Amino acid sequence: MAKNKNKGDEMSFLDHLEELRWLLVRSFVAILIGGCVAFACSGFIFDNIIFAPKKSDFITYRFFCDLANKYDLDKSFCVTEIPFELISRDMEGQLNTDIWTSITAGFILVFPYILYQLWRFISPALYEKERKMAVWFILTTSVLFFLGILFGYFLIVPLSINFLANYRISDVVENNIDVESYLSLVKTTVIACGLVFEMPIIIYFLAKLGLVSAAFLRKYRRYALVIILIIAAIVTPPDVISQTIVTIPLVILYEASILIAARIDRIRAKELTTTS
């Protein structure tokens, strides 16, 4: 059983379940409220955010086109058309799409509040000095998550859409993409990138638990780099500059994770030395 390290009172298993239940309830209600707000603004969200990467004048396409013109690169960077149409094949398809997209948007909007609830759940098992890190934890984790969302939306999503829309097995096949498939790509990509950007926070807690170390991360650095390069090569145009733009943030996150793990290793070694 975990106990509150500040007060010394022990929490029973049922107390943990009760706290977990209320964490889930409060988080669900927050997501529902955020989803209602998003649903009320769904017209703006779909037209100006979700469907924006489908337009050839999207900021990412213009950025790469300007880059190509400035450095005399391949003109394929200049996107003039995204050759596919979105369709809905189910009678209730657009309603379901609106509802589930609003729920996803609600989750993104209230993510800091969910982190706050998570911190409240784990804080009884922490020391006083660790509990004082609540603001740091919520702020840092939220910033990393939203940076990942922006990274996925402005880089990975448009580059993926452009690549997949222009991929052809034959001119016989015409691209009429189900809106659910399009939204699945957008939502999965941005949420995944948001979670990937949490790597330093995840490594921090894994290192605190002794499950990973800086030596382990350094040992497998080359494999991590290969995976990152493969991902960058898949979602970007066949050019070193665009692949580098996608690769750099992911490499920085990995290196930051190594530094965090190294710091935890030093603290643990110092504590062991003091104890002995």
Side-chain angles (χ1 to χ4, degrees):
M1 299 180 189
K3 67 170 61 176
N4 189 316
K5 293 183 177 180
N6 305 286
K7 300 178 181 178
D9 53 324
E10 199 171 79
M11 294 181 66
S12 68
F13 178 70
L14 291 179
D15 289 335
H16 279 295
L17 288 181
E18 182 67 12
E19 285 294 321
L20 180 60
R21 183 174 74 87
W22 280 108
L23 181 154
L24 296 175
V25 168
R26 286 190 288 264
S27 297
F28 175 78
V29 171
I31 293 173
L32 191 60
I33 294 173
C36 290
V37 173
F39 188 81
C41 305
S42 61
F44 175 85
I45 291 174
F46 278 103
D47 293 336
N48 296 283
I49 299 178
I50 294 177
F51 294 143
K54 185 185 178 302
K55 303 172 184 177
S56 59
D57 62 347
F58 187 60
I59 184 173
T60 303
Y61 304 137
R62 287 190 280 111
F63 170 77
F64 279 107
C65 185
D66 292 341
L67 203 65
N69 291 328
K70 183 176 181 179
Y71 295 101
D72 195 26
L73 302 174
D74 189 346
K75 300 307 178 190
S76 63
F77 277 90
C78 296
V79 177
T80 58
E81 180 187 11
I82 308 293
F84 71 89
E85 296 296 328
L86 293 174
I87 61 172
S88 179
R89 296 179 297 174
D90 299 323
M91 181 65 72
E92 71 282 4
Q94 295 199 48
L95 176 60
N96 289 337
T97 295
D98 201 357
I99 291 173
W100 286 108
T101 301
S102 296
I103 291 174
T104 303
F107 168 76
I108 294 173
L109 287 173
V110 303
F111 185 75
Y113 177 77
I114 295 175
L115 288 176
Y116 170 69
Q117 292 300 319
L118 178 62
W119 184 264
R120 285 187 59 188
F121 179 70
I122 65 175
S123 61
L126 302 177
Y127 292 105
E128 181 63 30
K129 63 179 181 180
E130 294 172 325
R131 297 183 69 188
K132 291 180 179 179
M133 297 173 61
V135 175
W136 173 88
F137 169 76
I138 295 171
L139 181 61
T140 303
T141 307
S142 298
V143 168
L144 287 173
F145 179 75
F146 289 124
L147 284 176
I149 293 290
L150 293 175
F151 177 76
Y153 177 74
F154 284 107
L155 274 178
I156 307 299
V157 166
L159 293 175
S160 299
I161 288 174
N162 184 45
F163 170 76
L164 295 172
N166 286 282
Y167 188 86
R168 289 285 185 274
I169 57 173
S170 172
D171 291 335
V172 175
V173 182
E174 181 178 330
N175 279 337
N176 290 309
I177 309 299
D178 193 299
V179 67
E180 280 294 334
S181 177
Y182 176 89
L183 288 172
S184 176
L185 171 66
V186 174
K187 290 188 291 186
T188 301
T189 301
V190 296
I191 294 296
C193 286
L195 296 178
V196 166
F197 268 58
E198 299 293 350
M199 185 191 306
I201 303 297
I202 295 172
I203 293 299
Y204 171 82
F205 283 104
L206 291 178
K208 288 281 286 184
L209 294 172
L211 298 178
V212 298
S213 64
F216 174 86
L217 295 174
R218 292 191 184 102
K219 178 180 179 181
Y220 291 99
R221 177 192 276 132
R222 68 183 70 179
Y223 301 106
L225 181 59
V226 169
I227 294 173
I228 291 172
L229 289 173
I230 291 174
I231 294 173
I234 291 174
V235 302
T236 60
D239 183 88
V240 175
I241 294 179
S242 58
Q243 292 174 8
T244 302
I245 291 174
V246 172
T247 300
I248 287 176
L250 300 179
V251 172
I252 291 175
L253 284 173
Y254 192 83
E255 293 300 324
S257 299
I258 293 177
L259 294 177
I260 290 171
R263 175 175 171 78
I264 299 300
D265 290 344
R266 288 194 298 270
I267 293 174
R268 181 179 294 108
K270 185 177 179 180
E271 289 176 348
L272 291 174
T273 302
T274 303
T275 304
S276 58

